[in-house]
Every structure is written in C-alpha cells, then in structure tokens.
Amino acid sequence: MSDAFVQLSDVTLMYGKSVAVPDLNLSIREGELICLLGPSGCGKTTTMRAIAGLLDPASGSIHIDGRDVTRVPANKRGIGLVFQSYALFPHLNAFENVAFGLRLQKLPEAEIRERTEAGLATVGLKGYDKRKPAEMSGGQQQRLALARSLVMKPKVLLLDEPLSNLDARLRLEMRTELQRVQKETGVTMVFVTHDQAEALALADRIVLMKEGKIEQLGTPADLYARPETAFAAEFMGFENIFRVEGSKVVTDSGTLELGFAPASPLLAWRPDGVSVGSGPHQGRVLATSFAGAHREYVLDTPLGPVKADAAIELPEVAIGETLAFDLPEATARPLSA
Amino acid sequence: MFRNTREGLALALPAAIFSTLLFLVPVGILLSEAFRFEGGWSLQGYIDFFATPLNRTVFLRTLKLGALVAGTAAVIGYAAAFCIVNLGPRARGTVFGMVVLPLMISPVARTYAWIVILGRTGIVNEAITGLGLSDTPLRLLFTETAVFLGLLQLFLPLMIISLVSAMENIPRDVIPAARVLGASWLAVFFKVILPLTKEGLVIGGTLVFTGSLTAYITPAILGGSKVLMLETLLYQRVNVSNDFVSASVIAMILIVMSFSANLLLKKIASARS
Amino acid sequence: MNTSSRLLANWVILGLTLTFLIGPFLIIILAGASDTSYLAFPPEGLTLRWYLKVFTVESFRASFLLSMALAVFGTLAALLLGVPAAYALNRYALPGAETVRTVVAAPIIVPGIIVGLALLRYLVVPTGVTVTLALFMAHTALVLPYAVRVVSSSMHNLRADMEEAAVLLGCSRFQAFTKVVLPNIRGGVLAAFILGFVTSFNQVPVSLFLSGPGVRTLPIDMLAYMEITFDPSVAALSALLAFMSLAIVFVAERLLGFSRYV
Ligand SMILES: Nc1ncnc2c1ncn2[C@@H]1O[C@H](COP(=O)(O)OP(=O)(O)OP(=O)(O)O)[C@@H](O)[C@H]1O
Ligand SMILES: [Mg+2]
C-alpha cells in the first residue's frame, strides 16, 4: 500500500441510479504500465474517467501521489487521457493541438515551441505541424493524441483502448512505440483494452475486470499461467473448463474418468495442454485446422466438444475419425468456483 | 461531467423562460379571451363567431385554399423533386439552390410580383387585350385564384425541399428494381416512391398547409377585402371593430388547424404502412 | 422512354417549376425600371429613377434602419439565448428537455399575427413598454427556434469527449466551450445568424400590430405605401431587397454551404 502512486479506496461509481463499479480498491505503482482488461461494459472506461476526474465517485476516495484528489476537478489533477476516439481538436493543426495545454499555462512562446516540437518528435510526427487532424491517418492521429497528453508531463497517463481503431500491423507498431515512450518518460500508464494478447504483451501488471469488480490482478505471466477463476481462465485461453466430481470431470453431456482426484471444484486445460495421439480416451474429430506450428482439433467426447492442439509432426486425422487423447494432471489448472 | 443538471438547466432555462413569458403567456391569455363572457366562462364567443355567415365563408375558404395549395404543391413537388434527384451532383446543387432562394426573399416582394402579372395593366391582361380576346381588362387580382397562385409560389419550395431530402434517402436501386419486376410508373410511384417518402410528404404538407393558413401578406395584397382569409379577417376585426373575441376565436382556429393538420397527416402516413 | 427524351422531360418540368418560382423576380426587376408613373409590364421605356427614388423616400429610410436593427439585434439576442440552450439540450440529460424543446420551438408553430396581437395587448398596453422594445422581443422570440435548431444540428456531430480532453489539458468548462466548441460550431452559428436575420427582416405578421407612429418595419411600410401610391417604386424596392437577400445567401452559400442548414 505504501508504494501506491494512484490509490482507489472503496470507490463506487454510478450512472444515475445504476451502479457501474461497486467498491473498487486498486493501487497503481509509480512508473508502471498497468492494463485494465475485461469484456465490453465491465467498467474499464468508467474507472478511468473516475481517475481522470471526469466522473465523481458516489463514495470512496482517490489519492494520487499521496494527495487526496477525490474532490479535485479534472483540470487541476494533472492527468493525461488519450481517448478511444482521440478527441483531437479538428479546428487546430497538429502543432496547435499539442500546444493547446501549454498555451493554457501561459508559458513563454519559446518554451511552448520547444516542448511542442519535442513532443511531436517523440511520437515520430516531426514535420507534420501544419496538418489538421482530418488530414492525418488513424495511426498518426493516435500518436498526435498521445503527444498532446505527453507534453503536459502528466503524473499519470490514461489510455482508453487507443489501439482498437488501428489495423493489425499498425497496432503492433504502436504497441512497441507505447512501451518505448513509457520507458523513456517513466510516466505511470493505465491502459484499457479488451484484447488479452495486447494486455499480455504490454502490461507490467494486468487488472482483469468483470461486471465492475476486479476478478484477478497480477503480472501477465501470473495471469497467463495461474488464472484463479473460470472467467479469468477463459480470458487467458483455457478453452476446456470442466466441473470436478471426485476423480471425474463432468459436463451436462457426460463424464470422464481422470485417474486422479483434484481438490478444486473446477479444472481447466488450454488446447495445448490436452495431449493427443495417445491416451485413455477416444474422441471423434469434429473439425480440424492447420495453425502453422500445430494443428487444432475439435473433438467430440463424452464431455461435449474438447479443443486440443496436436504437434505438427503427428499425422493428420480426418474429420469423422477417432483420436486418442488425455486430460493430464500436469497441465490441469485448478480453479475456484 | 455533463451530469450536473443544475448547470444544464441554467443554460437552457433563459431561452425557455423568455419564450414562455413573451410567447406562451400572452398567447395563452389571448386564446382564453373568447371563453370569457360576462364575467364567467362560456362558448358564446365561438357560437357568435360561427353564426356570422361571412366568418363561416372565410373559415371554409381558408381551409379550402390551404388544402388546395398543399395538394397542388405535393403534385408539382413530386415531379420537381424527382427531376432534381435525377440530376448530376453539380446541376442538382444549382437547381436546389434556386429552389431555396425564393425563401430568402421578402414575401412582400414575392407577392408584389403577382400584381405586376395579374394587375389591370399586367402581363396577362396586356396579352388578353392585345390578342383581342377581350376589350376590357379582366379582374384577376382580388380573386381566389390570385391568392392561390401567390400562396403556391410562396410555399412550393418548402414542399420540394422536404421531398428532395426524402427521396435522397431512397436506396439507389429500388426504383430500377421495381421497373425490372414489371411495375408501371404509376405502380412505382404508389408502391415504392410514395411509401418511402411519406415522411417528407408529411413534413412538406404540414409546412405548406400551415403556411397557407397563417400567411398574411399574400391574402392582404392579392385578396384584399374581397377575398378575406382568416388572417386578414383577424386583422380587420381588431383594427376596424376592436373585436378581440373574434380575434381570439380565429387565433384558436389557426392553432388548432395547424396542429390537427400535422396530426392528421402523420396518421395518414402511418396508416398506409 | 429512352434516355434523351427522359432527360428532356426532366428539364422541361424543372424549367417550368423554376420559371414559376423565380420568373416573378425577373418581372419585378424590369417593372421597377419602367419609365411610367404606374406599374407596367413589359416596361415602357427603361429608367433607373424608381430605383433611385427608393432611397429618397424618408419613411423607407427610417423603416429600413428599424428593420435592420431589429434583424441584427433580435438575432444576436436569440443567439445569446439559443446557443446555450442548444448546448444544454445536446450535452446534458435534462429532466425537462422535451418541454424546453417544445417551448422554445413554439413561436414557429403559432401564427405571427397572433403573437404580435398578444404582445400588443398584454405586454405593451398594460406595462407601457415601448413598441420598439416589444418588436425587438417579438423578433427575438421569432428567431429563437431557428437559432436553437440550426446550432443544435451543428453541435450534434461534435463529440463531448473533445471538451473533456480540453478540460484534462487544463481548461475550465467555460474555456473548453469557447476554445473548442465555439470554433467548431462557428459555421452553424453563422448560418443561424443569416437565417435569423433574413427571417426577421422579412417578417410581417408579427410586426403588423406592433407598429406605432413612426415605428414601422420596412415590409409594413411597403404595404402601407402600396395602398396609396401605384408608381413602380415598390417594385424597384422589392427588386433591391431581393438582390440584398440574394447577395447574403450567395456569400453564405460560398462560405458555409448554407442551404444544408435551411
Ligand atoms: N453515460 C452512461 N450512462 C449510463 N450508463 C453508462 C454510461 N456509460 C457507461 N455506462 C454503463 O456502465 C457500465 C460500464 O461501462 P464502461 O463504459 O465503463 O465499460 P467498458 O468496460 O469501458 O466497456 P467497453 O469495452 O465497451 O468500452 C456499462 O454497464 C455501461 O452500460
Ligand atoms: Mg470503454
């Protein structure tokens, strides 16, 4: 707790009479890049708006850098926010967009010029000063929005799904760009996404949210290897999740003997954790597809469909034929209910 | 950040209060005046108003001309709007601009032109006497026809604008598709164009009809006291005979007719679908 | 029908419609130039003297100035009331939003002559407000619906997050409005001003009862003049007014693509 740079304590956020985020506790360390991850409508944007001061908590408090900012208005918090839509000012050119906040501080013209140009250079937009936002590509606009926030030297920089409007290649490029900027400036970043791959790639820590609550919080490696709930496991790619009864796994369609007796009420396997080619169980191949380094199968089993990845060296098994498989103890992830 | 209701009200209320005080309250009092009779409330004002034959004539004439103008505008409007949407983008802009233009010009000027056209020494009479069709000029001004033409010219652009914007929303290939399926042009109009543009027709129809009901200048200049309409009648009642009860009745009629025209057209439009 | 005859029919219909809509102005322009002391068309001899006479008629000068002042200040006042209202209606979830909308739009629905009469009887007479002030307020109320509607529609596409971005960069709410919202709805505000100006300037029914001795708007003055004089000067004046509107609309169209706001 003592190392918390941003601290949300028992924060409840409401829209009118409906609660969007109940009793949230979250601490963010200085200089870290934290990802808010979760499905649409889980309260990521809402949480971020509360940190920025655009939404007043119904109860609870928010501290930033040791200071209670719960009642501090948004324009006095010193927080940057890059909107999903970028929210660039269409009537101003790139230079003036970036200089906007500096001008409000009534800084000397020379300093404004210097910092704005440096800001544009940081995001690789040198020479674009005269362009209006409408004359820039999606990626350039996104970088412009980033520069506009960065030049203000915010204590915390919030980014609301800034990459979701970009195509796949640009998205990858911007990911590395963001990481570089973060390392360079050391700014504390809160990054919102509902793309788990993006969160895993970028974050120092991931906050997995569900219906306004934190489902699990941890490093990417942590979350990836050790999800604690079915929800988290599903998000992290555990596509086979089954109920446990004694030494059996159970679904509505049937049961399967495991050969060991787990202590947890649920067990989960990634497709690559299911071993195929040999094993005590038989499944009929429902679908198969080539995925480069491995081959993906969907097997019809007593449990219903099971997803399994087979090493590419194994001969392909055609749809309709049977394939032996096992749900090994070694790759099983125990989950709480 | 925009949930602060008090802030929002502070911004919106001045306009609302201004409109209420300067508009709703005085008009409301005026409307109530016809119901006050010898210190109590009654419908006597309305009974007296409709007991006068002239008033009935004027009432019916206003309705008739309003409907006639709206109907004619719809027919011309459909033809013109259809032609406009069929133009290329540049020609369309120019023609549309020419349709909008008259709206920006003083109705006095627009109506005055008809005096030049229909007056004793106007074009039509010059032509008639010049061709020897009649030795004395015809009386064309101060007739219902003159008022009709004046109103039509005044309000036709509103109908065309409404129909053009409605037709622009018809998906591109619907009409050719209907033609390919063997529909005649008449069938295309009634089965495709009309249902898809009825919103525009309702808006245009309401604008033209209420416009015609409540126009003052055109009936005043082209109808005079020979062809009174409700508005000119109201003016006369107040100015000549200080009769505020009749004025109040007419005001109510105008407002009620405008509203019911809108409701009726909306109803017709939704019943058809 | 083949394409070329379709095209021909198209242009014939449009030609007739446009003649009906615009032809009368051409007639008026010429009628105002007729070298006769009565209205004549086709003009008998051409002269500019009626066009020039318009400027020497004292009452026209006075009423032109009044109409100008009403149109300019009435529209400005309407914008002063209407822009914040349009903003609030777009940005806030107001409890009475529909009511506010209806009340503000009401002057467009109720015939002007009734508004004028009501104001005369229940405002001017009992409170002793001058007719000029009453006219000013009536014109403001009349233009208000246009101001709210046009500004609303130009504000509609402006996302609220732009203002939030401005606030996070240090703006107060008011600064966010003046620095971000206003520059982006400038076109709409200007269009509303022009539409309001033209509406107010050409307005007759509202002003009909609210005219007193020496207080007459130009259109009312023209109506009065027409009743006593039959020379072509009203035609000339009408033509001049038409040109004025044309010029305004032409410039506005070039500047902002005005017709989409009508
Ligand atoms: N302005 C609002 N008024 C009322 N309810 C809202 C508003 N904004 C969000 N909500 C509700 O609050 C909850 C959280 O919304 P939020 O926008 O924070 O989700 P999110 O996690 O950002 O989702 P997404 O990934 O789709 O952006 C949702 O149930 C949403 O319906
Ligand atoms: Mg969101």
Side-chain angles (χ1 to χ4, degrees):
Chain A
M1 276 288 167
S2 57
D3 62 345
F5 188 65
V6 179
Q7 175 70 48
L8 281 72
S9 316
D10 299 321
V11 169
T12 299
L13 302 170
M14 326 219 340
Y15 288 109
K17 290 196 166 24
S18 72
V19 178
V21 173
D23 266 331
L24 183 74
N25 284 289
L26 173 65
S27 43
I28 299 167
R29 299 182 198 119
E30 183 158 17
E32 87 174 323
L33 199 170
I34 201 160
C35 260
L36 300 186
L37 174 67
S40 188
C42 71
K44 306 179 296 287
T45 299
T46 304
T47 304
M48 196 122 100
R49 290 171 59 82
I51 299 174
L54 295 174
L55 180 66
D56 284 333
S59 64
S61 68
I62 300 173
H63 287 74
I64 295 173
D65 200 6
R67 172 164 162 251
D68 186 347
V69 297
T70 318
R71 299 278 158 239
V72 175
N75 54 348
K76 302 267 164 13
R77 281 197 193 180
I79 285 183
L81 172 55
V82 176
F83 289 80
Q84 179 166 356
S85 60
Y86 311 147
L88 293 166
F89 306 133
H91 61 296
L92 300 177
N93 63 27
F95 184 92
E96 289 305 325
N97 261 285
V98 177
F100 188 90
L102 302 173
R103 289 207 189 286
L104 284 167
Q105 295 181 348
K106 303 232 160 27
L107 298 176
E109 186 61 31
E111 186 181 346
I112 293 177
R113 176 151 295 277
E114 187 188 326
R115 278 173 66 177
T116 303
E117 272 163 6
L120 283 168
T122 312
V123 297
L125 284 179
K126 213 171 183 158
Y128 284 83
D129 346 18
K130 293 279 175 293
R131 296 270 191 103
K132 291 271 178 72
E135 301 157 356
M136 303 173 86
S137 72
Q140 290 168 338
Q141 291 183 26
Q142 197 265 325
R143 282 180 283 166
L144 184 60
L146 183 61
R148 186 177 65 177
S149 291
L150 277 176
V151 290
M152 300 301 291
K153 305 208 169 100
K155 291 196 186 106
V156 183
L157 182 59
L158 310 170
L159 301 111
D160 194 354
E161 305 199 28
L163 307 185
S164 61
N165 286 346
L166 308 181
D167 66 44
R169 198 181 57 83
L170 206 52
R171 188 146 60 207
L172 281 182
E173 222 168 85
M174 288 311 300
R175 249 192 226 170
T176 19
E177 187 98 353
L178 271 179
Q179 271 175 320
R180 180 181 63 75
V181 167
Q182 203 245 345
K183 291 291 165 287
E184 246 168 51
T185 57
V187 65
T188 308
M189 273 194 192
V190 182
F191 185 100
V192 164
T193 177
H194 52 230
D195 176 351
Q196 49 104 354
E198 199 165 278
L200 291 171
L202 264 175
D204 294 322
R205 287 194 303 158
I206 294 175
V207 180
L208 182 64
M209 293 181 71
K210 177 194 179 188
E211 290 164 16
K213 299 199 184 80
I214 295 181
E215 183 82 1
Q216 191 173 346
L217 193 160
T219 62
D222 237 12
L223 248 79
Y224 188 80
R226 284 177 295 281
E228 278 155 14
T229 61
F231 177 81
E234 216 170 321
F235 233 89
M236 290 298 141
F238 287 80
E239 293 184 68
N240 307 301
I241 303 177
F242 306 113
R243 231 164 42 238
V244 173
E245 279 173 14
S247 64
K248 292 192 181 80
V249 278
V250 186
T251 66
D252 292 339
S253 29
T255 62
L256 213 63
E257 178 62 43
L258 283 174
F260 60 95
S264 63
L266 293 171
L267 279 186
W269 286 266
R270 286 181 197 287
D272 63 5
V274 178
S275 48
V276 282
S278 64
H281 313 299
Q282 298 289 317
R284 204 163 49 84
V285 176
L286 284 175
T288 165
S289 61
F290 175 70
H294 61 268
R295 185 176 297 283
E296 297 177 356
Y297 287 102
V298 181
L299 302 176
D300 185 22
T301 74
L303 294 171
V306 164
K307 292 197 178 153
D309 291 351
I312 207 68
E313 297 78 33
L314 291 176
E316 182 181 351
V317 179
I319 291 177
E321 291 177 21
T322 54
L323 191 57
F325 73 98
D326 189 19
L327 298 172
E329 187 173 10
T331 56
R333 172 67 196 157
L335 303 173
S336 63
Chain B
M1 143 180 190
F2 297 107
R3 310 222 128 234
N4 186 340
T5 309
R6 219 184 301 159
E7 200 176 282
L9 284 178
L11 291 170
L13 280 186
I17 291 172
F18 181 84
S19 259
T20 307
L21 286 185
L22 268 143
F23 182 79
L24 289 183
V25 172
V27 171
I29 302 177
L30 179 66
L31 290 180
S32 75
E33 213 154 308
F35 298 101
R36 281 200 299 258
F37 187 72
E38 292 169 355
W41 297 92
S42 91
L43 287 174
Q44 198 57 43
Y46 284 80
I47 295 167
D48 290 348
F49 181 85
F50 282 104
T52 315
L54 173 70
N55 291 348
R56 281 204 304 268
T57 313
V58 171
F59 171 72
L60 291 176
R61 175 189 295 141
T62 308
L63 264 186
K64 180 182 76 185
L65 278 175
L68 220 53
V69 171
T72 315
V75 173
I76 303 179
Y78 265 112
F82 191 70
C83 295
I84 290 177
V85 253
N86 277 342
L87 293 173
R90 280 203 48 197
R92 183 197 289 209
T94 312
V95 172
F96 193 70
M98 283 164 87
V99 171
V100 172
L101 238 182
L103 289 177
M104 297 294 133
I105 294 174
S106 167
V108 175
R110 300 174 67 188
T111 307
Y112 195 75
W114 290 101
I115 296 188
V116 185
I117 298 169
L118 301 175
R120 290 180 65 83
T121 54
I123 311 169
V124 177
N125 268 320
E126 294 277 316
I128 288 175
T129 46
L131 290 173
L133 296 175
S134 162
D135 349 320
T136 50
L138 300 179
R139 208 192 53 152
L140 300 168
L141 279 179
F142 311 122
T143 60
E144 286 192 4
T145 315
V147 177
F148 169 79
L149 284 173
L151 290 175
L152 185 62
Q153 203 249 357
L154 211 53
F155 296 117
L156 180 57
L158 295 176
M159 179 65 91
I160 299 181
I161 292 171
S162 308
L163 289 178
V164 166
S165 50
M167 280 191 196
E168 279 175 340
N169 294 331
I170 297 183
R172 241 183 184 294
D173 298 325
V174 167
I175 293 169
R179 292 287 291 163
V180 168
L181 292 172
S184 70
W185 276 111
L186 213 60
V188 168
F189 179 76
F190 282 106
K191 298 260 184 271
V192 181
I193 300 181
L194 191 60
L196 287 174
T197 54
K198 63 190 180 197
E199 289 276 312
L201 182 61
V202 168
I203 296 172
T206 312
L207 288 174
V208 174
F209 181 72
T210 33
S212 302
L213 290 189
T214 60
Y216 173 80
I217 302 161
T218 307
I221 297 181
L222 299 178
S225 54
K226 294 227 170 52
V227 187
L228 282 172
M229 298 260 285
L230 281 174
E231 287 252 331
T232 40
L233 179 66
L234 186 155
Y235 185 72
Q236 231 190 32
R237 277 295 123 85
V238 172
N239 254 21
V240 179
S241 37
N242 251 335
D243 175 4
F244 289 102
V245 174
S246 289
S248 168
V249 173
I250 296 174
M252 184 62 102
I253 295 174
L254 290 175
I255 292 175
V256 168
M257 288 210 302
S258 305
F259 271 100
S260 11
N262 184 265
L263 288 182
L264 190 74
L265 282 169
K266 265 191 198 149
K267 226 191 177 116
I268 293 174
S270 59
R272 280 278 167 82
S273 60
Chain C
M1 259 192 285
N2 63 37
T3 321
S4 68
S5 67
R6 271 259 293 286
L7 209 63
L8 187 68
N10 220 13
W11 279 110
V12 167
I13 292 175
L14 283 177
L16 288 175
T17 311
L18 289 178
T19 306
F20 179 65
L21 288 178
I22 304 216
F25 299 116
L26 306 178
I27 290 174
I28 270 207
I29 295 169
L30 287 176
S34 176
D35 196 4
T36 46
S37 59
Y38 54 91
L39 210 49
F41 195 90
E44 295 159 21
L46 289 178
T47 175
L48 278 180
R49 80 181 137 116
W50 302 115
Y51 279 92
L52 295 173
K53 185 191 170 192
V54 166
F55 294 93
T56 64
V57 178
E58 188 51 46
S59 77
F60 281 164
R61 287 223 295 250
S63 56
F64 175 79
L65 287 182
L66 177 65
S67 277
M68 267 293 183
L70 281 177
V72 170
F73 294 113
T75 306
L76 284 180
L79 284 174
L80 224 51
L81 291 168
V83 172
Y87 179 77
L89 288 172
N90 271 288
R91 280 289 183 272
Y92 296 84
L94 291 182
E98 254 338 284
T99 316
V100 170
R101 236 182 274 273
T102 312
V103 167
V104 172
I108 236 174
I109 305 162
V110 176
I113 195 167
I114 298 169
V115 180
L117 177 60
L119 282 181
L120 174 73
R121 232 166 116 63
Y122 310 110
L123 183 77
V124 176
V125 173
T127 64
V129 168
T130 63
V131 181
T132 317
L133 185 59
L135 265 179
F136 165 71
M137 295 199 281
H139 278 240
T140 304
L142 184 85
V143 173
L144 189 55
Y146 296 96
V148 173
R149 195 189 64 199
V150 174
V151 175
S152 275
S153 78
S154 74
M155 195 126 39
H156 196 70
N157 300 323
L158 209 62
R159 299 178 48 122
D161 53 17
M162 244 160 54
E163 282 162 78
E164 296 182 336
V167 166
L168 287 170
L169 292 169
C171 278
S172 66
R173 285 296 305 282
F174 184 70
Q175 279 176 316
F177 180 80
T178 57
K179 283 179 189 292
V180 174
V181 179
L182 220 44
N184 284 297
I185 61 167
R186 222 176 37 193
V189 173
L190 208 55
F193 181 84
I194 291 166
L195 195 61
F197 177 89
V198 171
T199 307
S200 164
F201 193 89
N202 293 336
Q203 170 64 33
V204 166
V206 164
S207 321
L208 211 50
F209 286 110
L210 294 175
S211 298
V215 186
R216 261 189 196 159
T217 64
L218 185 57
I220 304 271
D221 207 27
M222 286 166 72
L223 285 178
Y225 187 90
M226 276 159 59
E227 284 181 6
I228 47 171
T229 322
F230 300 98
D231 67 28
S233 56
V234 172
L237 181 51
S238 295
L240 287 176
L241 289 179
F243 277 126
M244 185 182 90
S245 306
L246 256 168
I248 294 176
V249 171
F250 183 77
V251 171
E253 181 67 44
R254 274 295 144 94
L255 247 49
L256 354 131
F258 180 65
S259 51
R260 77 196 142 103
Y261 290 107
V262 174

